[in-house]
Amino acid sequence: MESKFNDMVALDGQISVLVDDQFLWAKLIVSKAQNGGKEVTYDDVIGELSRNGVKANIKEDKIRDYLENLPDDHKSIIVAEATPAENGVDGVVTYSYEPKSELKPTIDEETGIVNFKELGKIRNVRKGNLIATIKMNTMGTPGMDISGKEIKPVPGVPPKYFVGSGTIQDNEKTRIYAADDGNLRWEKDRFIVDTIVTISGSVDASTGNIDFVGDIVVKGGVLEGYRVRGKNVTIKENVTNATVEATESIVINSGAVYSKLSCDGNIKMSFAENCTIFSKGNLESKSLINCNVLCESEVLVIGGKGIIVGGECVAYHNITANQIGSESYTKTTINLGNTASLMKSHKELNDNFKTLNENYKKLKNLYEKLNHLRNERPLTPQQEHARKQAFLFVMNERNTLADMTERIEHNEKILAKSRLLQLIVKKKCFPGVSLKLYTAIYENNVENGSVVFYLDSDNEIRFRAGNR
């Protein structure tokens, strides 16, 4: 009897809404109406969702489709879902160099030979080199639950970094650069650029060769077979059978033996024996024994004994020493101005300039004539080719001629100045000393006291007593 009654009674459709405790989702179940009862409408569903606190992120199209195709099995569907927050991204620091460097020998890729003198102790960087790139953390994007409340994101962790001395950060705080030329090293938690490198001991197997763009201070010496190259180089002890190169100055508190010294500026030391020395600036030493010297400025050997003995000393300015030569009449060559070599190269330069300049004038004239002709009528293919070739020659060689002219003028100034150079001996000049000055050569065969050698108006080397 009860079953028949239900079949006859009109039953409205029913709505059931299940909401997550954190309002992350909502599920809907709708039962069909029976016996002519009222069907559930879209507005009924929206109203029921609202009464359950669901007001955002409602899947309207999904609800409509569900109502149009109601399943018989009372299957639930998700009709609202929270928009999750997008958490922030952690900041990242990307270094252009490995933070920690280790001393290790280099290996030649072709031969496989291990070089234990190149240990990589110094990492040279230039001003403006990129040291680190910084990607800042993001705060993330908020989400929204189905009640309409904001879901806060978890911010990314800020990048951890420090701006060390000798480095600089850009205005956008996204990059760190070297603030100057120097040695890049890692200290605790940051990169530092040192403009001065100090070697506490000697340059030897423990350090390898030192090659640095800045200033170098070596508290010990430089041992056999090693090299030091820097800007201003200061060495407290001896340089022995080694190489020292500098772009500005070399100072050796002790001396150098069987070594090579080269500097674009001044060199100052206590003594040098059996060394090859090149200096664009002044050279100062208390003694030069069996050394081959080329100095583009002045040589001063006046401290201590102030002796130049053996080898050849070439200078583009005056040479002043307490003593030249020795009691054993050791062969010692003094070359003021190096004019013999300079005159030879100067003549070759002038000859090359003359030939090049004649060709330049001929082709420039040809180019100008063909240009003029082209304004009057079309050129033949051969003429146009000649015109272009002449133009290329003129453009390419114009700068070459200007450089050669500058070098010729420079040489002429040196040659003119060399006539005025002097060898100043403050105490004694021994036989065995050979003096070259301009085009003249003078062999000193007598023992002189304080004396000055100079060139007279007849291009003959003369000397006078005294040291002025």
Side-chain angles (χ1 to χ4, degrees), residues 243-281:
T243 300
V244 180
E245 300 173 5
T247 57
E248 292 195 4
S249 71
I250 295 175
V251 176
I252 304 174
N253 289 0
S254 190
V257 180
Y258 288 101
S259 296
K260 295 180 180 180
L261 311 178
S262 178
C263 184
D264 291 340
N266 298 329
I267 298 178
K268 186 175 182 179
M269 69 187 80
S270 289
F271 67 88
E273 295 181 11
N274 298 291
C275 291
T276 299
I277 303 172
F278 170 75
S279 174
K280 286 189 177 181

Side-chain angles (χ1 to χ4, degrees), residues 102-219:
E102 56 182 291
L103 295 181
K104 57 183 180 180
T106 59
I107 302 175
D108 188 283
E109 294 182 358
E110 294 184 2
T111 64
I113 295 175
V114 180
N115 188 343
F116 288 96
K117 292 180 180 178
E118 298 294 342
L119 300 180
K121 183 176 179 63
I122 304 299
R123 283 199 290 186
N124 287 305
V125 291
R126 293 288 185 180
K127 181 178 180 180
N129 281 169
L130 179 65
I131 292 175
T133 302
I134 302 161
K135 186 177 181 181
M136 298 303 296
N137 62 303
T138 62
M139 301 309 294
T141 304
M144 181 180 289
D145 68 16
I146 59 176
S147 72
K149 291 183 179 179
E150 179 180 280
I151 301 174
K152 293 184 177 180
V154 178
V157 178
K160 185 178 180 180
Y161 66 93
F162 300 93
V163 181
S165 62
T167 69
I168 189 171
Q169 194 170 14
D170 64 358
N171 293 333
E172 290 75 26
K173 309 296 183 183
T174 59
R175 288 178 174 82
I176 297 176
Y177 298 97
D180 207 339
D181 296 348
N183 175 41
L184 182 70
R185 63 182 177 87
W186 182 262
E187 185 176 286
K188 294 183 180 179
D189 51 12
R190 69 200 68 191
F191 271 117
I192 289 174
V193 177
D194 294 320
T195 56
I196 299 176
V197 164
T198 300
I199 306 300
S200 58
S202 294
V203 176
D204 53 21
S206 66
T207 64
N209 293 331
I210 303 298
D211 193 340
F212 182 43
V213 295
D215 296 344
I216 301 172
V217 176
V218 180
K219 292 187 176 180

Side-chain angles (χ1 to χ4, degrees), residues 26-28 49 57-60 62-63 77-81:
K27 292 182 178 179
L28 172 68
L49 288 172
N57 296 324
I58 297 172
K59 301 177 183 292
E60 297 178 354
K62 195 169 184 179
I63 294 172
I77 64 167
I78 294 177
V79 293
E81 280 187 297

Side-chain angles (χ1 to χ4, degrees), residues 206-419:
S206 66
T207 64
N209 293 331
I210 303 298
D211 193 340
F212 182 43
V213 295
D215 296 344
I216 301 172
V217 176
V218 180
K219 292 187 176 180
V222 183
L223 273 59
E224 182 175 353
Y226 287 91
R227 183 188 69 245
V228 175
R229 181 186 294 146
K231 188 176 180 180
N232 293 289
V233 177
T234 301
I235 300 167
K236 303 293 185 180
E237 298 179 6
N238 285 341
V239 177
T240 306
N241 198 12
T243 300
V244 180
E245 300 173 5
T247 57
E248 292 195 4
S249 71
I250 295 175
V251 176
I252 304 174
N253 289 0
S254 190
V257 180
Y258 288 101
S259 296
K260 295 180 180 180
L261 311 178
S262 178
C263 184
D264 291 340
N266 298 329
I267 298 178
K268 186 175 182 179
M269 69 187 80
S270 289
F271 67 88
E273 295 181 11
N274 298 291
C275 291
T276 299
I277 303 172
F278 170 75
S279 174
K280 286 189 177 181
N282 293 333
L283 170 61
E284 293 184 47
S285 179
K286 293 178 181 179
S287 66
L288 296 173
I289 310 297
N290 293 322
C291 293
N292 289 317
V293 174
L294 173 57
C295 178
E296 294 188 1
S297 191
E298 188 172 10
V299 175
L300 298 169
V301 188
I302 54 178
K305 292 185 178 180
I307 301 172
I308 301 177
V309 178
E312 181 177 17
C313 186
V314 180
Y316 292 168
H317 289 240
N318 290 344
I319 295 177
T320 303
N322 287 343
Q323 177 182 316
I324 307 290
S326 68
E327 293 177 352
S328 59
Y329 298 175
T330 304
K331 177 67 175 178
T332 304
T333 301
I334 303 296
N335 190 337
L336 292 173
N338 199 27
T339 52
S341 175
L342 183 58
M343 282 180 172
K344 181 181 178 181
S345 63
H346 186 59
K347 182 180 183 304
E348 292 174 354
L349 182 61
N350 269 309
D351 291 343
N352 291 336
F353 176 83
K354 183 178 180 181
T355 301
L356 183 61
N357 193 42
E358 288 175 356
N359 291 334
Y360 176 84
K361 289 179 178 179
K362 289 177 182 177
L363 288 172
K364 184 180 179 183
N365 185 47
L366 174 62
Y367 171 72
E368 290 173 349
K369 285 182 177 180
L370 290 174
N371 253 359
H372 180 72
L373 182 61
R374 191 174 65 160
N375 293 330
E376 297 178 352
R377 58 178 174 79
L379 298 178
T380 66
Q382 293 82 1
Q383 289 174 325
E384 179 60 24
H385 178 74
R387 189 189 72 85
K388 289 180 179 179
Q389 290 298 110
F391 174 76
L392 290 174
F393 181 88
V394 169
M395 294 303 295
N396 289 336
E397 301 305 328
R398 182 169 55 186
N399 291 335
T400 302
L401 285 169
D403 290 341
M404 292 176 74
T405 300
E406 186 175 336
R407 287 164 56 195
I408 289 170
E409 291 174 352
H410 177 69
N411 288 346
E412 288 174 347
K413 288 179 181 178
I414 293 177
L415 288 169
K417 188 182 292 185
S418 68
R419 295 175 57 86

